[in-house]
Amino acid sequence: MSLLVVLPNEFAESAPLPEALQQALASAGVAAGERATCHTLVQKVSALAPQQVIAWLPAPAQQLQALLGALGEWKGVPPCALSLVSAPLESAQHEALVALGVHAWLPVETFNGASLRALMVLAPVRREREAALRTELDGLRTRMDERKWVDRAKGLLMSSRGIGEDEAFGLLRGAAMHANLRLGEVSRSVIEAAQWADAINRAGQLRMLSQRLVRIAAQMLAGIDVQRARVLRTQSVERVQQNLDHLAALELGAPGAGALGDVQAAWSGLSAALAARAVPQALADIDRRGDELLAAAEALTDALEASGARRALRIVNICGRQRMRAQRLAKDALLASALAAGTSRERLLPTMNEFEAALLELERAPLSSPEIRAALAAARDEWLRLVGGVQALESPEGRATLVRSSEVLVDTFERLTAWYEHSLQVIMS
């Protein structure tokens, strides 16, 4: 059995062993083997890989802190059986040594060949027992952690799908068997998928709100349903801040956190511009800052979709983007009418084409249900009314239709995005 003897730091590693230690080793028939000090203990164990370590500290008051510091490197799990021979210790010192992995202790006064042999038998047995207990404890912690994730995932499926506990558990168990994963792993993935979908939805809302707030400013300047516009502006500002606060509380990782910082900076600029008095000259600046927030929110949404690493989340992003396009189309149409803004007018046709292409993709997507199909049909009808409002922009009726239909489409795609977000395919992706 290879043995490493640890001596007080004032001993040279090549110096003779203390006489009492030499006699005990000789009486027990144990070869002295290699030696170290507290300062070199970790390096020597790593290099020599001994089966046992015995620390000889006859005056622990001067040496104990050095030994505790060395043992701290192993975080309570030394790589071999570890014993200590020293003068009597205080209770707190014993607790500290046990916490750092010392398996057996003997007072120096009773140290002899027989006690050394007993020590060298006891220490490995205790080490093996502690290892078994750690394994058992780790298993219990894993099972408790898995139970927590399973319960959360069941609750999510029950609330989002309107199903019972047994059916929710059956879905999780079936997914685990299909993917050849532990039930806890699948449950954790379900929760994480739902969190990513919610984050993408909230980031997508920021895109829509950036355009809605500019549209409201143009709407109020044009005198279209001003009282309701004021209420909607207050609600929209509160919603932006709520979403930013929610996203800031998540662990988004480096790309997402950086993109969120850009969104917060862009929102600061837009909110300051909105606080100023609404006059025609200010609309162009509000529109520019709204587009800055739109671009930042778009980058954040893309970063979240990429971080989620789930293809099913793309449908949540596509659907959420339709809310923004409805508001952007209404905003650009009002700006083109109020300010004769050429840039806004030039964006009308590309925005309409993008909306139509995305609506077709959603209609053809396999991720569907009766309620989703009915909502998409309603969105198609309202989209045609919105386009009619754009075409009749010069009339008060056309502008009123434009505002109303853009809001109806936002509400419709809010519901659709929530349904996609809570759909079984996204949750179980």
Side-chain angles (χ1 to χ4, degrees), residues 228-281:
R228 185 175 184 280
R230 287 197 183 99
V231 173
L232 190 57
R233 179 178 63 183
T234 300
Q235 293 173 344
S236 298
V237 168
E238 291 175 351
R239 191 171 171 187
V240 169
Q241 195 57 55
Q242 289 169 357
N243 283 359
L244 288 176
D245 292 343
H246 181 88
L247 291 167
L250 302 178
E251 296 180 2
L252 301 180
L260 178 60
D262 294 339
V263 170
Q264 292 167 327
W267 168 238
S268 179
L270 176 58
S271 60
L274 290 170
R277 186 169 172 233
V279 294
Q281 295 83 350

Side-chain angles (χ1 to χ4, degrees), residues 99-112:
L100 290 174
V102 174
H103 302 108
W105 172 81
L106 273 177
V108 69
E109 292 85 354
T110 62
F111 187 61
N112 54 39

